[in-house]
Amino acid sequence: MASVNSGQLMRWRSERVIFLAILASAGVVLAGCGSNNGTSGGSSTGTTSGTSTTGTAAGSRADVIIDGSSTVEPLMSAISEEFTKTNSSISPSVGTSGTGGGFKKFVAGEIDISNASRPITPEEAEQAKAKGIEYIEIPIAFDGLTIVVNPKNTWAKDLTIAELKMMWEEGSKVSNWKEVRSGFPDKPLKLYGAGTDSGTFDYFTEAVNGKSKSSRADYQASEDDNTLVQGVSGDEGALGYFGFSYYEDNKEIVAAVAVDGGKGPVTPSFDTIQNGTYSPLSRPLFIYVNKKSLESKPGIEEMVKYIFAAGSDTILKEAGFVPLPQAAKDLVLKRLAERKTGTLFHGAEPGLKIEDILSREKG
């Protein structure tokens, strides 16, 4: 599998169309896999990935509708684009309605795959069951929710989970850095974070505040992580959070804060996120595949396998995502092959090893 230039990947995140044109002109093709998060954006990007190459006429390709998390969207768009260069059986399109918005469409049977930055909730699972929607839960990569500050912030090199909770918990009135820790300066604190329909919001509030969706409301919220980056980079007293990949793309204009989850401060990195020491803010990212779609549109299974193909780790890392360890990949592919439906991840303790969760599978 060919390596993709990391600079191209960073440009692609904010200028996807330009990135795809660069890829096409450069002729970068991945090897095939073989045969066997304020308010929700609420809209679809309508990005259709790939063009028919050989074998199947464009009119006979199966449309595959993907929607959901804005965090997962860049990865699934890249996978879809590259997969369709060598496989003409499906025509994927990827939208960004946020994790919650994607699940609303998924449980209604409107889409084939739901991108998610958190596990499906019991309420969403019940809605799917009521509609006769069976699904396969596929963790595809790791992410680390990254706490960021303005580069001019020289005092908050690390923060404890208790200090983050003090800032973010429901009813918090903390508005100045001097209220967070003795010795911090007398500077206004302005918070930036994910919108309330975002899976990033759900995971952050559960990991930091102890309850999903429990948060103060007086912060600058956006489903667009680029908006959060710009907000923090333009305000010396700002603090925000978003996925590690967005930090990787913008680390020259925002600074990551080491997080102390009880065992000392740990800075987010590919290694600390994958091995779980960046706790409790390491999290798996998911796709949820409609079982009926999987059976009726065979190209979907090949595309899912493509995520775990030899060499794909390079693509994930250059895009700012953390690959699963091989043991987890093997368990995921076994789950896919055996068509195991339902969720294993709801209620899983933040920071728990993904292999341990997947090993709960019965049969």
Side-chain angles (χ1 to χ4, degrees):
M1 183 176 292
S3 174
V4 175
N5 180 275
S6 59
Q8 290 177 339
L9 277 164
M10 286 193 291
R11 286 196 299 275
W12 177 81
R13 180 175 296 281
S14 59
E15 301 176 279
R16 186 187 319 131
V17 174
I18 295 175
F19 170 77
L20 296 180
I22 292 170
L23 277 180
S25 63
V28 180
V29 180
L30 306 182
C33 295
S35 61
N36 290 59
N37 33 97
T39 60
S40 171
S43 62
S44 172
T45 63
T47 300
T48 301
S49 300
T51 57
S52 181
T53 52
T54 59
T56 306
S60 63
R61 301 173 80 191
D63 290 332
V64 176
I65 310 303
I66 306 169
D67 208 326
S69 167
S70 61
T71 300
V72 180
E73 180 270 334
L75 176 56
M76 286 304 292
S77 287
I79 291 295
S80 299
E81 172 70 16
E82 291 303 310
F83 176 75
T84 53
K85 287 182 178 179
T86 55
N87 190 310
S88 59
S89 61
I90 60 174
S91 179
S93 63
V94 186
T96 52
S97 294
T99 295
F103 274 131
K104 288 175 185 176
K105 295 179 180 181
F106 186 72
V107 302
E110 297 173 6
I111 62 177
D112 301 296
I113 297 175
S114 187
N115 295 335
S117 57
R118 59 154 172 83
I120 193 169
T121 66
E123 294 76 15
E124 290 162 342
E126 282 300 315
Q127 290 166 8
K129 183 178 180 180
K131 292 284 189 177
I133 305 293
E134 292 186 283
Y135 56 85
I136 300 174
E137 180 182 61
I138 304 288
I140 59 172
F142 281 118
D143 184 28
L145 291 188
T146 304
I147 309 300
V148 296
V149 293
N150 187 280
K152 293 181 180 179
N153 182 327
T154 59
W155 57 92
K157 300 297 185 183
D158 60 81
L159 291 166
T160 66
I161 290 295
E163 288 168 337
L164 289 170
K165 183 178 181 181
M166 183 194 308
M167 298 181 209
W168 284 98
E169 66 185 337
E170 190 171 4
S172 173
K173 300 299 182 184
V174 173
S175 60
N176 194 295
W177 280 99
K178 68 180 182 180
E179 301 172 64
V180 177
R181 183 189 297 178
S182 176
F184 278 1
D186 180 5
K187 286 186 177 292
L189 169 67
K190 188 170 183 179
L191 299 175
Y192 293 80
T196 58
D197 203 27
S198 166
T200 297
F201 173 80
D202 294 341
Y203 194 92
F204 178 83
T205 51
E206 181 174 356
V208 171
N209 296 336
K211 182 181 179 182
S212 179
K213 297 187 181 298
S214 174
S215 173
R216 67 189 296 172
D218 57 337
Y219 70 96
Q220 295 296 309
S222 179
E223 294 290 346
D224 185 347
D225 291 332
N226 290 307
T227 299
L228 304 179
V229 168
Q230 293 305 311
V232 174
S233 66
D235 186 338
E236 185 178 346
L239 177 141
Y241 67 88
F242 39 73
F244 179 69
S245 61
Y246 280 88
Y247 164 68
E248 280 287 288
D249 285 354
N250 295 281
K251 55 188 177 183
E252 293 185 358
I253 58 174
V254 294
V257 175
V259 174
D260 186 349
K263 297 181 179 180
V266 178
T267 302
S269 69
F270 288 106
D271 290 339
T272 61
I273 292 169
Q274 188 179 66
N275 65 27
T277 56
Y278 183 64
S279 178
L281 296 182
S282 296
R283 60 171 178 170
L285 302 173
F286 302 88
I287 57 173
Y288 286 76
V289 184
N290 185 313
K291 184 181 177 183
K292 183 178 179 180
S293 298
L294 187 70
E295 301 293 351
S296 62
K297 302 175 182 180
I300 292 179
E301 182 167 2
E302 268 52 57
M303 187 173 69
V304 173
K305 289 179 180 178
Y306 196 68
I307 300 169
F308 305 104
S312 64
D313 285 5
T314 299
I315 303 302
L316 268 66
K317 286 181 177 179
E318 288 178 344
F321 296 90
V322 181
L324 302 183
Q326 189 58 49
K329 292 180 184 179
D330 293 341
L331 289 167
V332 169
L333 291 172
K334 181 175 185 289
R335 185 163 221 255
L336 177 66
E338 296 178 354
R339 301 294 193 265
K340 294 288 188 179
T341 58
T343 179
L344 294 172
F345 284 81
H346 178 74
E349 181 182 345
L352 192 63
K353 284 189 175 181
I354 196 168
E355 304 96 303
D356 293 337
I357 298 172
L358 290 167
S359 295
R360 297 171 179 175
E361 191 81 76
K362 296 180 181 179

